Amino acid sequence: MSTIQLRTSIPGPKSQELMRRRQTAVARGVSHATPIFAARAEGAILEDVDGNRFLDFAGGIGVVNAGHRAPRVVAAIREQLDAFIHTCFSVAPYEKYIALAEKLNSLVPGAFAKKSVLVNSGAEAIENAVKIARAYTRRPAIICFEDAFHGRTMLTMSLTSKTHPYKAGFEPFATDVYRIPYAYCYRCSYSLQYPSCNVFCAQHLEDTFKRVVASEAVAAVVVEPVLGEGGFVAPPREFFAILQETCKRHGILFIADEVQSGFGRTGAMFASERYGITPDILVSAKSIAAGMPLAAVTGRAEVMDAPALGGLGGTYGGNPLACAAALAAIETLERENLPQRAEKLGQRFDARARDWKKRWPLIGDVRGLGAMRALELVRSRDTREPAKEEAEQVLRHCREHGLILLSAGSYGNVLRLLVPLVITEDQFDEGLDVLESSLATVAESQMEAAPRQA
Ligand SMILES: Cc1ncc(COP(=O)(O)O)c(C=O)c1O
């Protein structure tokens, strides 16, 4: 029996009514990838207020790798709820914060002593990572990348690349932020080709120190091991080896933003492991706590200890319910071998996606790492003109047929998979069937409109 069950057209009447109320009451700037209002969710299934059942390939933007309402997580939150909800770690500390820091210190790659600090969101964690790097190095500048996304606060927006909707109109930005090209081989900023390029984008960091910002002024390089919002770009392995080597040579800290790529998504607990990177600081969030608001900064003990007492923290950072959820979410990922499962899901997707690419020129690129997989849609394989409207049509067709899926990319033309890793194979195939028929509908109408490009 199929998991997807639709009782109304999408969005249903109750969702439509809630959207009317939302438009009056909630600020316009908060966007929605779907017009579907949630009523409940379990595993990889999301049910809306009209009783429609969807397969959820978005996972709350990569937050529920362990699944919606993972049983261990629900039990841990319940148990903590009966003990206490909040004391503030800076007032009356509690054990679960420490246990989670210990766990993160052991999971994050690097055979050296580590420490962690817990905060509320990915953006807040990146802000803190930069504060810590500046306090340790006593240098001001930060190097970040084209197509990066690090958040919406002042500093993280400044580190973020995409202008609309994230930056335009919110100027001025934070100073001492310098941007260089990422290894986005499908759209190389230097118009080179891998491997003959010799990973010029990474080699070029040395040049940046001569022409843009002095190396002795740079505190850290902040980089996503796999671009998240930027379109699930997984660089060649040498990219990070060269970047990290260059950082070491100049006493610059290497900060890995694993907010989206962390906690099993890429086939290892952290994507850094897949690349053999040992970041000085690793930032995690999203799937860390299976839906509770929590994020962490984990790094070399001496680096993490640079800020003075009181320089880090906040009222809610490391909230007890969130810590309990995180410990249970990590236990779920480990006990159920979900990183390994991510690799299998990725391979299963890849096999089908490569066949789709042969059939439809709409698909320009198939890429990713583990279950962090994506399709980049183009109007023409020659010009690689981004097919943003077509991507939106595919997403609409998907949700009207019971599959929740998200786009990504600086041009909005990438379809990305953030499926809960506990999804069953039947459910996964069912979701991919919907995606396939949606792609077929849009790709075939594109081919009819421009047959010579086929
Ligand atoms: C790589 C990356 N860094 C930072 C953030 C910001 O996280 P948050 O939305 O929790 O502030 C995101 C969010 O999508 C992200 O994908």
Side-chain angles (χ1 to χ4, degrees):
M1 197 176 104
S2 63
T3 297
I4 294 171
Q5 284 180 24
L6 302 182
R7 297 174 179 196
T8 69
S9 58
I10 307 298
K14 289 185 183 159
S15 276
Q16 288 182 39
E17 174 52 26
L18 284 169
M19 188 57 89
R20 277 190 286 275
R21 280 174 55 196
R22 176 258 177 265
Q23 268 151 6
T24 312
V26 181
R28 185 176 66 127
V30 186
S31 65
H32 306 285
T34 80
I36 299 159
F37 282 78
R40 53 186 61 83
E42 197 86 35
I45 301 170
L46 192 148
E47 192 175 312
D48 76 0
V49 285
D50 292 287
N52 297 302
R53 266 176 40 171
F54 298 84
L55 275 169
D56 181 10
F57 276 27
I61 322 190
V63 169
V64 290
N65 288 358
H68 287 287
R69 300 187 74 249
R72 285 186 190 83
V73 174
V74 173
I77 294 172
R78 281 213 175 104
E79 193 185 323
Q80 182 58 44
L81 202 53
D82 286 338
F84 60 95
I85 297 176
H86 177 80
T87 59
C88 184
F89 192 71
S90 301
V91 176
Y94 36 89
E95 199 238 338
K96 286 201 169 77
Y97 189 120
I98 300 165
L100 181 56
E102 288 167 346
K103 186 71 191 169
L104 291 167
N105 299 342
S106 73
L107 286 177
V108 165
F112 40 77
K114 295 181 213 101
K115 289 192 176 183
S116 291
V117 59
L118 304 178
V119 292
N120 303 293
S121 69
E124 194 186 347
I126 293 286
E127 291 264 353
N128 276 280
V130 170
K131 277 171 63 174
I132 293 164
R134 284 176 168 161
Y136 180 75
T137 59
R138 302 190 173 277
R139 299 174 178 184
I142 304 294
I143 289 183
C144 58
F145 290 83
E146 288 177 2
D147 303 299
F149 182 88
H150 298 292
R152 288 182 170 86
T153 59
M154 181 51 68
L155 178 57
T156 59
M157 172 178 64
S158 306
L159 294 169
T160 287
S161 176
K162 189 170 176 173
T163 53
H164 295 89
Y166 302 133
K167 303 176 77 159
F170 297 126
E171 303 86 347
F173 304 123
T175 54
D176 282 306
V177 169
Y178 301 90
R179 191 175 310 284
I180 60 174
Y182 193 78
Y184 187 175
C185 299
Y186 187 68
R187 296 188 185 278
C188 176
S189 292
Y190 299 110
S191 299
L192 297 172
Q193 277 203 335
Y194 179 79
S196 59
C197 64
N198 223 1
V199 204
F200 180 76
C201 49
Q203 311 275 6
H204 203 59
L205 181 55
E206 276 296 350
D207 204 57
T208 303
F209 297 146
K210 296 194 180 70
R211 296 162 79 188
V212 181
V213 55
S215 61
E216 62 270 26
V218 180
V221 164
V222 180
V223 64
E224 293 160 88
V226 180
L227 288 182
E229 304 304 300
F232 282 25
V233 176
R237 203 179 165 80
E238 311 92 285
F239 179 66
F240 294 111
I242 297 166
L243 283 184
Q244 191 161 28
E245 189 43 50
T246 311
C247 284
K248 275 202 189 116
R249 234 180 359 256
H250 293 282
I252 295 167
L253 297 180
F254 187 94
I255 302 178
D257 179 345
E258 293 242 23
V259 168
Q260 194 154 162
S261 60
F263 295 103
R265 172 66 38 197
T266 64
M269 197 55 93
F270 294 106
S272 293
E273 296 165 61
R274 298 287 316 252
Y275 281 109
I277 314 169
T278 47
D280 299 296
I281 297 177
L282 186 148
V283 175
S284 59
K286 289 194 185 280
S287 273
I288 188 174
M292 295 297 285
L294 187 76
V297 185
T298 302
R300 289 181 184 276
E302 72 272 20
V303 172
M304 294 298 293
D305 276 343
L309 200 61
L312 303 178
T315 306
Y316 294 117
N319 168 272
L321 294 174
C323 287
L327 287 164
I330 294 169
E331 189 186 339
T332 302
L333 293 169
E334 289 184 323
R335 291 237 191 147
E336 296 180 20
N337 295 322
L338 294 180
Q340 290 87 327
R341 182 146 172 70
E343 185 61 19
K344 289 213 180 78
L345 291 171
Q347 285 165 4
R348 210 173 171 89
F349 171 78
D350 210 50
R352 286 186 72 169
R354 300 221 168 263
D355 174 52
W356 300 338
K357 190 176 172 198
K358 281 189 207 132
R359 280 153 65 189
W360 302 309
L362 176 65
I363 297 171
D365 197 23
V366 175
R367 59 172 178 251
L369 192 65
M372 195 167 179
R373 296 269 161 183
L375 305 173
E376 175 153 0
L377 306 191
V378 290
R379 295 234 164 102
S380 145
R381 286 217 177 132
D382 295 335
T383 64
R384 302 189 176 183
E385 184 190 345
K388 181 176 193 285
E389 287 76 25
E390 291 81 347
E392 282 164 6
Q393 286 163 19
V394 173
L395 295 184
R396 191 176 325 116
H397 192 283
C398 280
R399 74 174 169 264
E400 286 171 1
H401 293 80
L403 177 68
I404 297 174
L405 193 68
L406 297 177
S407 63
S410 293
Y411 307 97
N413 63 325
V414 177
L415 306 178
R416 60 172 153 166
L417 241 65
L418 284 168
V419 62
L421 303 175
V422 292
I423 192 166
T424 67
E425 280 181 11
D426 285 349
Q427 289 172 337
F428 192 54
D429 289 345
E430 189 183 341
L432 293 183
D433 289 345
V434 175
L435 176 56
E436 180 171 310
S437 72
S438 304
L439 284 165
T441 306
V442 175
E444 277 155 27
S445 73
Q446 181 200 49
M447 284 157 80
E448 274 162 31
R452 72 203 138 70
Q453 287 187 4

